[in-house]
């Protein structure tokens, strides 16, 4: 199965001991190797600057280039080689999307540094260049519509900001409510032409497998089928896992695999299977590698024995959130009020 990977994804960007560490991707690659899921590895080029500048301000890129070394925000360190590493991660997003687009299939890319908190004019939350946004903008440039589905435990405020006023990119985010970065409420639905094209599903702590299965079937699937994207991009945060310490959602590894199975099936139905799955967060090293292996196995048609399999949410813990998100969007999209 095609995995887009570059040794640059192992570049340290945060300070020593920080959860966003190179071991995240090293563990994923070691696990994929161990399970013989790495038969086709593609090494990306850095993203061309003209493609990055579709979603980021030139002044911000100049700021990163000239920053030197130190903290850009209290969570996000910058080093002299950080911009180069971020450009290769964005190139990885472009490469994964291009393979998915041309070959009409699902592709996984364990990108570092992550991207979804990076907005046009600023980074933050361990992010510098918005990888998924750079890839999405490429297909918009080619006259296609794109959906970005963000399963990270945190709201992708950068991705949301970048596409808030367009109807060409549909941004759907599931995230825990009440944690960093604080945005992503039901009421944030886009503006201008983009009204209705930002769909937030903020969830209470404890929401897991049953909640995600239900919100996919009741919200994500019908909206995506009505939107008819040319390609589906996933911001694949592993930090909604019950093992992760940065959030309190409760997806299990099989819960993630089931979510991606549904996402893949939807992509098959709406855009001939074009699905690029781009790593964002995920900070429990073992659970992250477990999820990545489960997903790559799914894409490859192989059953992978996973380790973190406890279903903790069997009662659709986030059902109130699902109802509120449906209410917020039933005017724009054809959404049923009950299951
Ligand atoms: Zn996250």
């Amino acid at each position: 199965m095609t995995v887009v990977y570059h040794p640059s994804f192992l570049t340290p960007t945060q300070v020593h001991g920080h959860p966003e560490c190179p071991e995240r991707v090293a563990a994923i690659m070691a696990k994929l190797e161990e399970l013989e899921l790495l038969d086709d590895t593609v090494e990306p080029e850095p993203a061309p600057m003209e493609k990055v500048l579709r979603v980021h301000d030139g002044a911000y890129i100049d700021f990163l280039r000239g920053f030197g070394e130190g903290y850009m925000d209290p969570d996000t360190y910058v080093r002299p080689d950080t911009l180069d590493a971020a450009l290769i991660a964005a190139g990885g997003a472009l490469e994964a999307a291009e393979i998915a687009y041309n070959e009409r299939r699902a592709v996984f890319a364990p990108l570092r540094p992550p991207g979804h908190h990076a907005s046009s004019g600023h980074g933050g939350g361990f992010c510098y260049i918005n990888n998924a946004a750079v890839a999405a903008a490429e297909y918009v440039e080619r006259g296609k519509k794109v959906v970005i589905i963000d399963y990270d435990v945190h709201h992708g405020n950068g991705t949301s900001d970048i596409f808030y006023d367009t109807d060409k990119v549909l941004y759907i985010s599931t995230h825990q409510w009440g944690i960093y970065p604080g945005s992503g409420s039901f009421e944030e639905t886009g503006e201008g032409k983009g009204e209705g094209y930002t769909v937030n599903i903020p969830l209470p702590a404890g929401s897991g497998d049953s909640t995600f299965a239900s919100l996919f079937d009741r919200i994500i699937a019908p909206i995506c089928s009505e939107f008819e994207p040319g390609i589906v991009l996933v911001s694949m945060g592993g930090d909604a896992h019950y093992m992760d310490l940065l959030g309190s959602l409760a997806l299990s590894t099989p819960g993630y695999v089931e979510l991606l199975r549904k996402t893949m099936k939807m992509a098959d139905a709406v855009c001939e299977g074009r699905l690029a799955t781009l790593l964002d967060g995920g900070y429990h090293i073992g659970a992250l590698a477990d999820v990545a292996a489960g997903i790559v196995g799914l894409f490859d048609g192989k059953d992978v024995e996973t380790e973190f399999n406890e279903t903790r949410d069997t009662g659709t813990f986030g059902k109130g959130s699902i109802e509120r998100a449906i209410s917020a969007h039933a005017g724009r999209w054809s959404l049923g009020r009950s299951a």
Side-chain angles (χ1 to χ4, degrees), residues 13-29:
T13 48
Q14 308 308 321
V15 294
H16 186 70
H18 191 283
E20 203 297 283
C21 58
E23 289 75 17
R24 299 173 58 235
V25 170
I28 290 173
M29 295 304 284

Side-chain angles (χ1 to χ4, degrees), residues 227-313:
F227 179 65
E228 298 184 322
I231 184 167
V232 177
L233 306 181
V234 167
S235 264
M236 187 40 239
D239 45 9
H241 200 286
Y242 65 74
M243 290 298 288
D244 204 278
L245 294 174
L246 267 62
S248 305
L249 293 185
L251 274 172
S252 66
T253 303
Y256 267 109
V257 173
E258 181 57 23
L259 188 58
L260 270 293
R261 188 191 312 278
K262 286 175 179 289
T263 307
M264 204 172 149
K265 196 173 152 206
M266 178 274 287
D268 281 342
V270 304
C271 55
E272 300 177 274
R274 296 170 167 120
L275 169 63
T277 301
L278 313 172
L279 183 66
D280 257 302
Y283 304 100
H284 184 283
I285 305 286
L288 181 63
D290 200 40
V291 166
I295 291 172
V296 174
L298 166 74
F299 291 172
D300 210 8
K302 289 179 184 155
D303 269 334
V304 169
E305 207 171 306
T306 57
E307 289 175 52
F308 299 99
N309 304 328
E310 283 174 42
T311 296
R312 297 196 176 176
D313 172 15

Side-chain angles (χ1 to χ4, degrees), residues 114 116-117 125-126 150-155 179-180 237-240 244 246 280-283:
H116 74 153
H117 297 304
F126 329 153
D150 188 330
Y151 294 132
D152 196 279
V153 77
H154 304 102
H155 179 237
I179 61 170
Y180 180 88
D239 45 9
D244 204 278
L246 267 62
D280 257 302
Y283 304 100

